[in-house]
């Protein structure tokens, strides 16, 4: 087995001295979909932001592709090949779909490769191809989520992190997003997915972690966690 693409070691992040991520360790293996399941306020967004360089951890290490990236800026992290699809999508609502996609490639110089990736993204999301000149803010919630994923892919990531892509979407749309995540993974992009929707996350996961009050309390394959009594009661409502 090769080294994991991402390793988080004993990470701590606090807001005004109150820990939100409290000694988290996890690994994302190459070629896999890894997911983190946790309820509201568990620390998922804080953890993702720290890995993406948007928050400085107070302790611990983040290694990506074998390099220590702890404390690097968000731009530097993107340049190394790690891109976050943030919670709430953070699109530019008055800009067109095309221009939103282009902003995802802002760190890239190779125009030919950017054009090729633009075409590739449109093959993942044919609906966006039909709406290239439309304002992003006029898209449906599911289409906006697709645009947020497409924009992140325009940075040509090795590892794509997604923070709650299913939030606010109807079940059929969630299933479409899940299928797209599977396809992106099959095309060679490693995935770290954070979700309150344990059903979606565990179905996709080759490896899954449960995050509670800033700590990892369970881990295993998606199938193993789906069988766990605790997960079934607390996260799957069974
Ligand atoms: P959600 O699903 O609501 O986004 P989450 O699992 O992503 O939840 P975080 O947003 O990371 O959780 O929040 C973890 C803890 O940190 C919560 O107790 C939250 O209230 C607190 N927190 C988050 N952001 C801040 C902030 N900017 N300042 C102070 N406390 C914060």
């Amino acid at each position: 087995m090769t080294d994991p693409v991402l390793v988080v070691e004993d990470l701590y992040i606090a807001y005004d001295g109150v820990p939100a991520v409290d000694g988290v360790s996890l690994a994302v293996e190459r070629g896999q979909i890894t997911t983190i399941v946790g309820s509201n306020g568990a620390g998922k967004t804080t953890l993702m932001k720290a890995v993406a360089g948007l928050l400085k951890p107070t302790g611990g290490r983040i290694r990506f592709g074998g390099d220590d990236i702890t404390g690097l800026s968000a731009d530097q992290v993107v340049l190394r090949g790690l891109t976050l699809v943030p919670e709430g999508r953070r699109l530019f609502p008055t800009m067109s779909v095309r221009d939103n996609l282009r902003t995802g490639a802002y760190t890239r110089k190779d125009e030919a490769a950017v054009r090729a990736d633009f075409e590739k993204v449109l093959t993942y999301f044919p609906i966006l191809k039909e709406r290239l000149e439309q304002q992003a803010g006029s898209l449906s919630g599911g289409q906006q989520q697709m645009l947020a994923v497409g924009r992140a892919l325009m940075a040509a990531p090795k590892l794509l992190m997604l923070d709650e892509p299913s939030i606010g979407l109807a079940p059929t749309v969630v299933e479409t997003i899940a299928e797209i995540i599977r396809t992106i993974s099959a095309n060679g992009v490693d995935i770290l997915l954070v979700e309150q929707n344990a059903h979606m996350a565990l179905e996709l996961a080759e490896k899954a972690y449960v995050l509670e009050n800033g700590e990892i309390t369970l881990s295993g394959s998606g199938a193993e966690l789906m069988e766990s009594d605790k997960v079934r009661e607390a996260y799957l409502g069974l």
Side-chain angles (χ1 to χ4, degrees):
M1 202 172 202
T2 55
D3 292 335
V5 62
L6 179 75
V7 179
V8 172
E9 285 171 6
D10 205 18
L11 203 68
Y12 288 84
I13 306 144
Y15 296 106
D16 299 324
V18 180
V21 169
D22 203 2
V24 165
S25 298
L26 57 85
V28 176
E29 301 292 341
R30 291 174 206 267
Q32 291 199 347
I33 300 177
T34 302
T35 70
I36 303 171
V37 173
S39 48
N40 226 338
K44 305 182 298 297
T45 297
T46 303
L47 175 60
M48 297 293 259
K49 280 186 170 171
V51 174
L54 294 163
L55 277 178
K56 295 251 181 290
T58 44
R61 292 267 141 233
I62 304 163
R63 260 184 255 285
F64 178 64
D67 298 329
D68 189 339
I69 63 160
T70 323
L72 289 190
S73 71
D75 281 1
Q76 288 170 320
V77 171
V78 171
L79 274 172
R80 282 168 181 256
L82 198 163
T83 305
L84 172 67
V85 182
E87 187 178 17
R89 297 151 202 159
R90 311 266 176 219
L91 298 170
F92 300 103
T94 60
M95 276 167 49
S96 67
V97 167
R98 179 191 298 278
D99 288 346
N100 268 276
L101 287 173
R102 298 283 314 179
T103 62
Y106 77 100
T107 57
R108 299 175 67 189
K109 304 273 182 283
D110 183 346
E111 267 303 312
V114 170
R115 269 198 302 277
D117 282 341
F118 185 78
E119 293 306 322
K120 191 165 155 195
V121 164
L122 296 182
T123 64
Y124 287 131
F125 307 108
I127 190 77
L128 297 183
K129 191 168 185 174
E130 290 168 23
R131 293 174 190 229
L132 278 175
E133 312 314 328
Q134 201 170 313
Q135 283 194 350
S138 71
L139 298 176
S140 72
Q143 291 162 2
Q144 289 193 21
Q145 188 60 60
M146 291 177 201
L147 179 53
V149 175
R151 181 180 61 181
L153 289 174
M154 288 299 293
K158 294 190 194 91
L159 173 64
L160 184 67
M161 302 197 300
L162 301 112
D163 190 352
E164 299 211 36
S166 81
I167 209 159
L169 302 182
T172 54
V173 185
V174 172
E175 198 40 59
T176 305
I177 300 280
E179 275 310 314
I180 290 164
I181 292 171
R182 267 199 199 98
T183 307
I184 294 168
S185 166
N187 284 340
V189 179
D190 306 319
I191 306 277
L192 177 58
L193 167 70
V194 158
E195 266 296 338
Q196 266 189 62
N197 182 337
H199 210 87
M200 175 202 195
L202 296 180
E203 269 188 2
L204 285 172
E206 276 140 316
K207 179 78 192 270
Y209 296 87
V210 174
L211 184 69
E212 293 179 315
N213 295 321
E215 297 180 55
I216 302 288
T217 52
L218 266 180
S219 66
S221 70
E224 279 165 359
L225 291 203
M226 256 192 257
E227 292 303 313
S228 136
D229 287 344
K230 179 176 169 160
V231 169
R232 289 166 69 82
E233 273 170 37
Y235 296 99
L236 295 171
L238 298 171

